[in-house]
């Protein structure tokens, strides 16, 4: 919790098997903006990371899903200007 306190953006780089637990912890402390770098299916549910995020944060959240990981320009273009 101290590691993300006051952060504008949190980068979650965890194995997909631990992604749900990390998101649940971040949701409990109110993480403002989240970017994740994990791939594959959640072992227990066979869900993709964006599906897990939708369950934790709600489908109406500001989550952005970028399936083409080879295009960081798309990610930067979607970020709000500073």
């Amino acid at each position: 919790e101290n590691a993300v306190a006051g952060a504008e953006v949190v980068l979650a780089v965890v194995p997909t098997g631990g992604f749900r637990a990390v998101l649940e912890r971040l949701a409990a402390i109110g993480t403002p903006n989240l970017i994740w770098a994990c791939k594959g299916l959640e072992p227990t549910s066979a869900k993709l990371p964006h599906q897990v995020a939708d369950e934790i944060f709600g489908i109406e959240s500001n989550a952005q899903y970028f399936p083409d990981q080879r295009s960081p320009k798309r990610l930067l273009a979607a970020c709000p200007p500073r």
Side-chain angles (χ1 to χ4, degrees):
E1 293 163 2
N2 290 337
V4 298
E8 290 182 38
V9 176
V10 173
L11 175 61
V13 184
V14 297
T16 308
F19 188 55
R20 180 179 296 275
V22 169
L23 292 188
E24 288 171 345
R25 188 74 181 255
L26 291 173
I29 60 174
T31 301
N33 296 298
L34 176 66
I35 298 172
W36 61 81
C38 56
K39 62 179 185 173
L41 302 175
E42 182 181 44
T44 57
S45 70
K47 292 182 179 181
L48 292 167
H50 76 277
Q51 294 170 314
V52 175
D54 285 346
E55 280 186 17
I56 303 299
F57 293 107
I59 197 81
E60 300 298 322
S61 72
N62 289 330
Q64 298 290 323
Y65 171 55
F66 300 94
D68 184 0
Q69 297 167 350
R70 296 167 291 174
S71 182
K73 288 182 181 178
R74 287 180 56 208
L75 174 62
L76 291 173
C79 292
R82 292 186 143 256

